[in-house]
Amino acid sequence: MTRRILALCSTVALTVASIATPAGAHDELGRRIAAMSLPEKVGQMIVSYVYGDSAASASAANEAMFGPGVATPAQAVETYHLGGVIYFTWSGNLSNPPQIAALSNGLQRAALGDTGIPLQISTDQEGGTVNRIGAPLAISPGNMAVGATFDPRTAQDAAKVSGAELRALGITVTHAPVVDVNTNPRNAADGVRAFSDRTAHVAAFGAAAERGYRAAGIGTTAKHFPGLGDTTVNTDNGVAVTDQSRAEILRTHVPPFRAVIAAGAQSIMAAHIVAPALDPSGAPASLSKPIITGLLRERLGFNGVVVTDALEAAALEDYTDEEVILGAVRAGVDQLLMPRSVPGAIRILLDAVASGRLSERRIDQSVRRILKTKTTRPYVSEPPTVGTPAALTTMSGIARRSITTLRSAALPLRPGQKVLVTGWGATTTTTLAAALGATSLYTGSPSDALIAQAVAAAREADVTVVTTFNAWSDPTQPRLVEALLATGKPIVVAAVGTPYDLASFPSAKTFVAAYGYQPPSLAALAAVLRGEAPAPGRLPVTIEGLYPYGSDGR
């Protein structure tokens, strides 16, 4: 199987080159597009999820989404000439590396047999909290942890490792890096997904990440233009609005996108955020011509692929399918990510061209941009090689450099102490307890009864480590921490989300920011708590009234 796939790689590489060779083949690309049918062109603009762990997996869920007789992922790709497929765990795509690589190869065979054009296969693998594929891959600690190293080379290293592992699985595009500037501590969209709350910091780390992904041979999708850092609402769940002025947005949130464009970003994701200062009509950025064409394309000079954020998002629920699909394309978008109905979206575009409301020339513009990105070899070896010692070492090294100790009264933990680990995250508390040789009591968002149970256990322990995650958004977590502090026993607060949590219990005498709960971060956190490693990280954000940007607690 492996030899056959590698042989196919050589053959298909010639096809890919003929589609996307940039210099001297401009007319050839035009001829390729001219030979495509309108449905084939429109299909290239659609990126959808599919159900199943193999290209031939039949599923009633696929038929419900794509129509009768379209039961397998391969049939969905062939029937609608899909330009892209996005992988998720909940859709059954991501069980283990050999399965993922086989699925990718199967979908590529379907795409190449249909149109001769490789399929874009993508997923959201940012590291940290947004991480679709776990072990045995080497997982990045996440952007804010990377930002806490204050060394952009760590962003490049993490991206290069992550990108190479995704490519080994047949994934050609990662929907990363996030280059939002997290200026609002109560941001439910970004938080630890952002490198920092400082524009220059995000720009430097975002550009470095872009270079790392490019070195790994994987496409990227910098997001979420024009920036979600000032909002409190995640557009997946509702309407997000920024009231910042045009000057503020251009000064604070746009420069990181300029930086990743300069670093070679092939794709940028348009957010559904409403920015009246950029578009007084109140249209979400993803449907706004002033924002997509006026700002991104004309002012920033970006001529790559613009993809929407997921069109199933709650932020767009007041818009009809036609308003969403045509609005996005008229705004200057090229790829429609996860439309509410794939057949419906395609029909809307075909009807719009037939009626003259949308020109085929406009469709061709997007198809040209999309085909230019399809330059990587579509097939991969089976089984894939991931999780190498070198890759794991890179990620663990970054995590060790990120841990930030702001207050250290109860540290280090001493041998022989009876340690309790409690708080947020079932896996987090058990994993950390195992690393510390401690007992664990998971509380999550605790009830009064669980708080009382944790307090009783803390009274019996010599020291308690309590984990928190975005405690500012969950009043039960501060109540737990305050109750533990009231025992008078040594309490170590370990934030495995944003470090803003300290503002919710400022009297805590020991506070360590790990910025994440992926295995590398928990291992690094445990080493710091035991006194076996330093905590060289610095705050990449400001904790208002307590610690400034760049602080290391000393």
Side-chain angles (χ1 to χ4, degrees), residues 131-148:
N131 200 73
R132 306 300 185 208
I133 313 169
L137 272 66
I139 306 305
S140 170
N143 281 359
M144 194 167 283
V146 171

Side-chain angles (χ1 to χ4, degrees), residues 127-470:
T129 59
V130 179
N131 200 73
R132 306 300 185 208
I133 313 169
L137 272 66
I139 306 305
S140 170
N143 281 359
M144 194 167 283
V146 171
T149 68
F150 274 68
D151 182 356
R153 289 174 298 182
T154 60
Q156 183 166 338
D157 291 344
K160 187 174 180 180
V161 168
S162 181
E165 295 201 319
L166 293 175
R167 281 298 298 123
L169 302 179
I171 294 168
T172 63
V173 169
T174 179
H175 293 299
V178 172
V179 291
D180 298 332
V181 183
N182 198 71
T183 54
N184 190 333
R186 294 183 174 272
N187 190 332
D190 288 322
V192 288
R193 298 171 67 194
F195 288 112
S196 173
D197 63 2
R198 300 297 177 99
T199 300
H201 196 122
V202 175
F205 278 74
E210 179 64 40
R211 290 192 291 271
Y213 286 124
R214 284 177 61 82
I218 193 169
T220 58
T221 309
K223 58 189 184 184
H224 309 78
F225 190 82
L228 288 178
D230 181 55
T231 185
T232 58
V233 177
N234 188 325
T235 55
D236 288 344
N237 306 318
V239 178
V241 180
T242 175
D243 293 321
Q244 288 192 316
S245 69
R246 181 179 180 86
E248 288 174 317
I249 295 171
L250 294 179
R251 180 175 61 250
T252 303
H253 300 283
V254 170
F257 290 96
R258 190 187 297 275
V260 294
I261 290 170
Q266 71 170 37
S267 177
I268 289 179
M269 181 176 288
H272 301 317
I273 192 170
V274 176
L278 299 180
D279 185 349
S281 75
S286 54
L287 311 183
S288 168
K289 189 170 184 177
I291 294 175
I292 302 304
T293 296
L295 178 55
L296 179 56
R297 292 214 186 278
E298 295 176 355
R299 179 160 180 159
L300 299 188
F302 182 67
N303 195 37
V305 172
V306 178
V307 58
T308 66
D309 206 340
L311 296 179
E312 295 181 336
L316 301 179
E317 64 182 8
D318 291 336
Y319 291 82
T320 66
D321 284 357
E322 184 165 300
E323 289 171 332
V324 168
I325 301 303
L326 293 185
V329 175
R330 287 169 175 160
V333 162
D334 303 304
Q335 287 183 322
L336 303 166
L337 177 63
M338 296 166 58
R340 292 180 286 222
S341 166
V342 169
I346 289 174
R347 178 48 54 195
I348 287 168
L349 290 174
L350 293 176
D351 288 349
V353 173
S355 66
R357 291 175 294 153
L358 191 68
S359 71
E360 188 166 355
R361 183 181 176 211
R362 169 65 191 88
I363 300 295
D364 290 350
Q365 289 174 339
S366 287
V367 174
R368 180 180 292 274
R369 294 188 189 109
I370 292 165
L371 295 188
K372 282 183 178 179
T373 69
K374 297 191 172 185
T375 58
T376 56
R377 292 186 174 188
Y379 293 110
V380 294
S381 298
E382 298 180 40
T385 299
V386 295
T388 64
L392 294 169
T393 297
T394 294
M395 295 307 192
S396 63
I398 293 169
R400 286 195 300 272
R401 296 173 65 184
S402 72
I403 306 298
T404 307
T405 299
L406 295 179
R407 298 176 180 178
S408 59
L411 296 179
L413 304 181
R414 298 188 303 276
Q417 282 185 314
K418 184 179 180 181
V419 179
L420 168 70
V421 177
T422 188
W424 180 91
T427 302
T428 296
T429 51
T430 55
T431 301
L432 188 56
L436 296 174
T439 57
S440 65
L441 173 62
Y442 163 63
T443 61
S445 296
S447 63
D448 290 343
L450 268 177
I451 290 175
Q453 185 179 350
V455 166
R459 291 188 189 279
E460 297 299 317
D462 296 317
V463 60
T464 295
V465 178
V466 54
T467 58
T468 65
F469 184 88
N470 292 0

Side-chain angles (χ1 to χ4, degrees), residues 29-37 41:
L29 180 56
R31 287 193 295 272
R32 181 68 183 88
I33 294 171
M36 297 170 67
S37 68
K41 295 176 184 177

Side-chain angles (χ1 to χ4, degrees), residues 5-19:
I5 288 172
L6 291 175
L8 279 169
C9 284
S10 299
T11 302
V12 174
L14 298 175
T15 305
V16 176
S18 69
I19 291 173

